[in-house]
Amino acid sequence: MYLVILLGNGVLILVTARDPRLHTPMYFFLGNLSFLDICYTTSSVPLILDSFLTPRKTIPFSACAVQMFLSFAMGATECVLLGMMAFDRYVAICDPLRYPVVMSKAAYVPMAAGSWAAGGVNAIVQISQAVRLPFCGDNVINHFACEILAVLRLACADISINVISMAVGNVIFLGVPVLCIFVSYVFIIATILRIPSAEGRQKAFSTCSAHLTVVVVFYGTILFMYGKPKSKDPLGADKQDLSDKLTSLFYGVVTPMLNPIIYSLRNKDVKAAVRNLCSEQLQRGRASINSLLSEEVSAGFPEEATPDGAIGCCAGAGEIIRESTKNGDAAFQNTSPTLKVHEKGSSKSEKALK
């Protein structure tokens, strides 16, 4: 799955950067989303695989803090970025004549940069508060990775400040983007319903169906993981912990794998760009192979003079060219085709997490 995530999102980034037809705000945001998915999965999946494949089940406290920061920053950034993409679809469908002015390069580049900056600031605030807590137990994380809620349960101090801070962050980075997306799609649906032809309505809806699908999958998983009530029954708590692990795994692995598939299956521009990229790389590969073969044949069979009426061996791909004679003088034609936390001396708050 990790290789599929790298390949799918990497291809999307490549085609959106190379194809001039995809140099639009929507595909710029899509390229940012693909890069974000690669960063998010890279921050956790390799360590999860390492814990499964090797007997070592510990992670240094500093590495755990970095993993929490990256996962938290990428998650918050994706929330804001999906809100920006909803606004882009709103302007494209509800006000198409002003779209080039409203969503100019001077507007959509700072919007994407602001999404990354907001996610980074939120992660710094949350993780800096978490790493200052004292951890004085056995420090065994009941999770696949260093998930911030699982780490906070290990603290032997009051975490009410952390809970309040995370609640405020959830309102800003979950509530506000969801509200923006909801309002945008209310206007989008109202505009689509006013289009007289069925073909026009289908074409308008197809431009935002992929984004809407990604929003439902992403926010549905987030709200299920962080918004459901906590069980006080020990047996129910164990089941809930297992549910949290599976939900986190789905959110961190399955969703980034689905995003490039969702955006490419129903998008003719992306599919055409991928086909053009594959065709271009195939032609370059063939040209390189033919060039190497031509050089090897030329080096192995040097051109030599032959008598009248003989048959000459060409240096290009071993082709045989018959000699043509005129007035008793031999004229040979030689052609060469060109084919186009292990910290033992640290403080109590920086013990190794097993």
Side-chain angles (χ1 to χ4, degrees):
M1 283 188 176
Y2 181 58
L3 295 179
V4 173
I5 292 170
L6 294 180
L7 179 61
N9 289 284
V11 169
L12 269 182
I13 294 173
L14 188 60
V15 297
T16 54
R18 290 174 60 91
D19 197 324
R21 295 174 300 177
L22 301 183
H23 291 174
T24 61
M26 182 179 72
Y27 295 110
F28 178 77
F29 289 133
L30 179 57
N32 278 264
L33 183 64
S34 297
F35 180 71
L36 186 148
D37 286 337
I38 291 176
C39 293
Y40 182 83
T41 53
T42 303
S43 69
S44 58
V45 172
L47 292 176
I48 295 175
L49 294 176
D50 180 68
S51 65
F52 282 129
L53 299 176
T54 62
R56 184 178 63 86
K57 304 295 182 182
T58 58
I59 180 173
F61 186 82
S62 57
C64 185
V66 170
Q67 187 183 51
M68 286 192 297
F69 170 79
L70 290 175
S71 60
F72 214 94
M74 297 302 107
T77 302
E78 186 164 358
C79 291
V80 181
L81 195 59
L82 289 174
M84 299 292 185
M85 295 174 74
F87 176 76
D88 171 73
R89 293 297 86 203
Y90 160 75
V91 178
I93 294 176
C94 299
D95 198 1
L97 296 180
R98 297 185 63 235
Y99 181 77
V101 177
V102 176
M103 295 302 296
S104 63
K105 190 173 183 178
Y108 67 77
V109 172
M111 288 169 66
S115 301
W116 286 92
V121 169
N122 182 49
I124 290 174
V125 172
Q126 304 297 339
I127 304 306
S128 62
Q129 292 178 347
V131 296
R132 289 201 299 264
L133 293 172
F135 300 94
C136 50
D138 54 4
N139 294 337
V140 177
I141 301 176
N142 187 19
H143 208 277
F144 294 124
C146 288
E147 203 270 335
I148 188 167
L149 294 179
V151 173
L152 289 178
R153 294 192 186 103
L154 302 178
C156 50
D158 184 21
I159 60 171
S160 58
I161 300 298
N162 301 78
V163 173
I164 295 173
S165 177
M166 289 188 64
V168 173
N170 288 340
V171 170
I172 297 174
F173 289 92
L174 285 175
V176 174
V178 166
L179 181 62
C180 176
I181 292 170
F182 177 77
V183 173
S184 297
Y185 274 99
V186 167
F187 284 103
I188 287 172
I189 293 173
T191 302
I192 291 175
L193 293 178
R194 288 198 298 267
I195 298 176
S197 65
E199 183 181 356
R201 289 194 296 269
Q202 182 179 1
K203 184 178 180 181
F205 184 74
S206 65
T207 62
C208 56
S209 59
H211 173 259
L212 185 59
T213 304
V214 171
V215 165
V216 171
V217 173
F218 176 79
Y219 279 104
T221 307
I222 291 293
L223 293 176
F224 179 80
M225 185 165 57
Y226 292 105
K228 63 183 179 179
K230 304 299 181 183
S231 175
K232 295 182 179 180
D233 179 53
L235 183 59
D238 292 338
K239 292 182 179 179
Q240 183 173 338
D241 288 339
L242 178 60
S243 175
D244 289 343
K245 293 177 186 178
L246 296 177
T247 305
S248 178
L249 190 64
F250 181 88
Y251 162 74
V253 178
V254 179
T255 302
M257 183 180 65
L258 292 178
N259 285 348
I261 298 175
I262 293 171
Y263 274 102
S264 60
L265 284 180
R266 296 182 59 102
N267 195 307
K268 295 180 180 179
D269 293 335
V270 173
K271 289 191 288 188
V274 172
R275 283 195 298 266
N276 292 337
L277 178 64
C278 294
S279 177
E280 180 182 345
Q281 295 301 319
L282 185 60
Q283 290 178 359
R284 287 184 179 180
R286 287 177 177 174
S288 300
I289 292 173
N290 286 326
S291 177
L292 290 174
L293 289 176
S294 178
E295 291 177 1
E296 290 179 0
V297 172
S298 298
F301 299 96
E303 182 180 354
E304 296 179 356
T306 56
D308 294 350
I311 296 178
C313 178
C314 292
E319 294 183 0
I320 303 300
I321 300 180
R322 299 185 180 277
E323 174 195 1
S324 64
T325 61
K326 185 177 182 181
N327 298 326
D329 294 330
F332 295 95
Q333 282 187 325
N334 295 323
T335 59
S336 297
T338 303
L339 294 180
K340 302 222 183 158
V341 188
H342 296 293
E343 302 182 6
K344 297 183 178 179
S346 61
S347 61
K348 290 183 179 180
S349 62
E350 295 186 354
K351 288 185 178 179
L353 301 182
K354 299 181 182 178

